[in-house]
Amino acid sequence: MNTPTFDLSKVIRPHLYKLRPYSTARDDFKGIADVFLDANENPYPSGFNRYPDPHQLKLKEKISSLKKIATENIFIGNGSDEVIDLVIRLCCEPQKDAILTIEPTYGMYEVSAQINGVRTVKIPLTQCFELEAEDIIEAIDHTVKVIFLCTPNNPSGNLLNKEAVRKVISAFYGLVVVDEAYIDFADDAGFLPELSKWPNLIVMQTLSKAYGLAGLRIGLAFAHPEIIRWLNKIKPPYNISQAAQIHAIQHLENQEVIPNQVRMIKSERRILAEKLSRLDMVQKVFPSDANFLMVRFNHSKAVYDYLLKNGIIVRDRSSVLHGNNCLRITVGTSEENQKLINALIQFEYPAA
Ligand SMILES: *Cc1c(COP(=O)(O)O)cnc(C)c1O
C-alpha cells in the first residue's frame, strides 16, 4: 500500500528547517580516548560523573534485537509523554494547527497539545468503544497535522479494529501515532510488523507497563528513519539519564521474566473479569486486551469511595464519554485482585 498524499516535508514546521541542533561534546568526538576534558564534568568518579550517551546506542541495540527493528527506526523518549510532546512540537504550529484523536482515550495527547497551544479535534468512539474510520477521515481538515490512535485503548481496554486503523493511516497526509503502550497484553502483534509499509506511521510503545519499568521513564517510538532523525534533532540532548539506560539494559537481559509476568497478568485478567461479572453490583465488564478492566457498576461513585476508604485505589472513569458509572481497574497480583473482590462482596449500598 502507498500513501500518495503523504509528504513529510509539508508536515514538519517550516522554522525547524533552519534549526542547527545543539551539538554535544560527545557528538563532536566519536573515537576512543581516555582523557575527557570536553564536557566540563567533574573528573572524580561517582558512577554518574559523565554525561550519558545522547543517542542511547546500547539500549537501542537491545531494543532492536528484542523487537526485530533496526536501530535507525528507533527513538527513545523520557517516557511516552516526551514522545507525544515532541511529535506535536515537530508538526503543529501553535494557535493554528490541530491534532486529532478519539474519545475517550489517553488524556496526555490533549494536555500536551494544550500546553503547546494546539487544538484537539476529538472523534467519539461507538458505545462499545469501537473505531469508525469514516468518522475520523471526514473530520480531517488542513489544520490537522497528527492523529493519535491508542490501541489497546486506554481507558476502554480494547484493541481498535486494525483494518479501520489502516484506513486512517492510508487516508491521511500527516503523521499517525499508534500508541501501543498495552500491546504486550493483547493477542495481536500490533503495527510493528508492517511499519515499513507506512512512511507516515509512528508506533509508540513503552517500558512502563508490561516491562515493569514505569519509574525509569523510557518511551519508545518506531518509525521511518527520516521521522526518527527529526525527533532526534529537536529532543533535549541528554533526555535519557545514565541510570535509566543502565537499568533498562540490565532488565531487558532478563529474557524470561517479562513474558512470564505478562502471562500471569493475562491469566489474572481473565479470572478477575469472571469474578467481577458475577457480582450483582456490576453491570458490565468490558472486554480487555490490556492489563486493566473497564467495569460498569450500578453506582460507581459509591463503590469508588468505599474502595478508597478500604485502601484500594482504582481509577474513576465515570465522567469520560460512554464511561458512565465506570471504574478502570488495573490487574494486580492474584492476592491484590482477591482483596478487591473480597471488599466488593462486603460492599453495601448506602441507604437512600
Ligand atoms: C501508560 C501509558 C503510556 C505510557 O506512558 P510513559 O510516559 O511511557 O510511562 C502511554 N500511552 C498510554 C495510552 C498509556 O496508558
Side-chain angles (χ1 to χ4, degrees), residues 102 105-106 109 125 129 131 148-154 156-162 165-166 169 176-186 188-191 201-205 289-290 292:
I102 52 180
T105 195
Y106 186 46
Y109 315 133
L125 296 174
F129 302 112
L131 175 70
F148 287 91
L149 299 175
C150 184
T151 177
N153 187 38
N154 181 1
S156 53
N158 57 313
L159 275 169
L160 301 179
N161 180 291
K162 246 180 154 172
V165 174
R166 287 191 190 103
I169 303 170
V176 179
V177 176
V178 172
D179 185 347
E180 296 186 343
Y182 299 99
I183 196 67
D184 303 275
F185 303 106
D188 187 279
F191 279 86
L201 172 63
I202 299 177
V203 174
M204 198 164 69
Q205 297 185 0
D289 303 289
F292 57 84

Side-chain angles (χ1 to χ4, degrees), residues 268-278 285-286 293:
E268 284 300 323
R269 173 179 73 198
R270 189 182 48 75
I271 295 166
L272 182 61
E274 228 169 76
K275 287 183 178 168
L276 284 167
S277 58
R278 275 195 237 118
V285 179
F286 286 89
L293 295 168

